[in-house]
Amino acid sequence: MDDKYSALRACIYQTESDLQRFRQLVVNTVMATDIVDKELQALRKNRWETAFSNALISESASALENIGNDEHDDRKATIVIEHLIQASDVSHTMQHWHIYKEWNERFFMECYGAYKAGRADSDPGVNWYKGEIGFFDFYVIPLAKKLESCGVFGVSSDEYLNYAKANREEWIREGEALVQQYVAKYTSDHQ
């Protein structure tokens, strides 16, 4: 490792064990952005349940019983960081409708452009509308609920969950027409 970063490394870790723990945290955080891999999703779900199923028991236990529970606290912190990274990846879905719509269009244009250029096998316009509803139902809203339940955003947690639910409902009303507009705009812009 480059010596010019030794001061930074000293702030992050002092021992080989700390280094290994920090490295694993970074790896887990990067891997958390892979939301397509079902096996990784199942592992994260199990880690969440392990970390937070005991939370109710721990919270009702006395302070003396919780002394020496560093491993449990580390597990909780790691899984919360993974979920924060996931939320940041899809943050547009948990913000105002106009923000969601703008970033949804941008992502559609990227995917549609890849399809038109032969870099993607299927036309995203065919399933985009229904896919977004499923994305809200099976990923975004459950993620927002988890973040709300662990209290990581404090009083703002409810706001993110409410925006996700509101965007889902707005998508149901307007999504089909928006996908048609996206396709028409792409076609117009690329003639």
Side-chain angles (χ1 to χ4, degrees), residues 170-182:
E170 193 75 27
W171 181 258
I172 287 172
R173 285 190 295 276
E174 295 187 30
E176 288 179 303
L178 286 172
V179 172
Q180 291 175 357
Q181 290 173 20
Y182 297 166

Side-chain angles (χ1 to χ4, degrees), residues 110-156:
E110 180 182 334
C111 294
Y112 197 71
Y115 167 69
K116 287 298 199 178
R119 294 188 316 272
D121 295 331
S122 59
D123 178 350
V126 174
N127 294 312
W128 198 266
Y129 171 74
K130 288 182 180 178
E132 284 296 293
I133 295 169
F135 189 55
F136 276 110
D137 289 346
F138 299 108
Y139 187 75
V140 174
I141 292 172
L143 176 61
K145 286 179 178 178
K146 284 180 178 179
L147 293 173
E148 180 184 43
S149 75
C150 74
V152 71
F153 289 123
V155 295
S156 298

Side-chain angles (χ1 to χ4, degrees), residues 2-187:
D2 195 328
D3 284 340
K4 69 181 175 182
Y5 298 110
S6 60
L8 174 62
R9 285 194 304 275
C11 291
I12 297 171
Y13 60 86
Q14 278 82 50
T15 67
E16 185 65 26
S17 174
D18 289 344
L19 169 61
Q20 292 307 316
R21 201 164 89 206
F22 176 71
R23 183 187 179 287
Q24 190 61 52
L25 176 64
V26 171
V27 168
N28 288 351
T29 303
V30 170
M31 295 303 291
T33 63
D34 183 353
I35 64 173
V36 177
D37 188 315
K38 300 295 183 202
E39 188 176 317
L40 284 175
Q41 284 288 77
L43 288 171
R44 275 191 291 277
K45 182 178 180 184
N46 287 338
R47 283 200 307 270
W48 180 275
E49 289 170 1
T50 300
F52 287 97
S53 66
N54 296 330
L56 298 175
I57 296 167
S58 295
E59 288 169 4
S60 64
S62 70
L64 290 175
E65 292 171 322
N66 286 325
I67 293 175
N69 207 4
D70 289 342
E71 185 178 328
H72 181 69
D73 289 345
D74 286 349
R75 182 182 302 119
K76 284 174 73 172
T78 299
I79 197 68
V80 167
I81 290 170
E82 289 177 14
H83 282 70
L84 284 171
I85 292 297
Q86 290 177 335
S88 69
D89 231 13
V90 297
S91 63
H92 67 287
T93 63
M94 299 180 216
Q95 296 181 50
H96 192 277
W97 170 249
H98 298 292
I99 301 294
Y100 165 71
K101 194 168 68 167
E102 175 185 344
W103 287 97
N104 182 268
E105 178 181 345
R106 288 177 185 215
F107 186 45
F108 177 87
M109 293 300 184
E110 180 182 334
C111 294
Y112 197 71
Y115 167 69
K116 287 298 199 178
R119 294 188 316 272
D121 295 331
S122 59
D123 178 350
V126 174
N127 294 312
W128 198 266
Y129 171 74
K130 288 182 180 178
E132 284 296 293
I133 295 169
F135 189 55
F136 276 110
D137 289 346
F138 299 108
Y139 187 75
V140 174
I141 292 172
L143 176 61
K145 286 179 178 178
K146 284 180 178 179
L147 293 173
E148 180 184 43
S149 75
C150 74
V152 71
F153 289 123
V155 295
S156 298
S157 296
D158 199 39
E159 182 179 340
Y160 300 125
L161 178 58
N162 289 337
Y163 272 129
K165 289 177 178 178
N167 286 340
R168 181 197 183 277
E169 294 307 311
E170 193 75 27
W171 181 258
I172 287 172
R173 285 190 295 276
E174 295 187 30
E176 288 179 303
L178 286 172
V179 172
Q180 291 175 357
Q181 290 173 20
Y182 297 166
V183 172
K185 181 178 178 184
Y186 184 92
T187 303

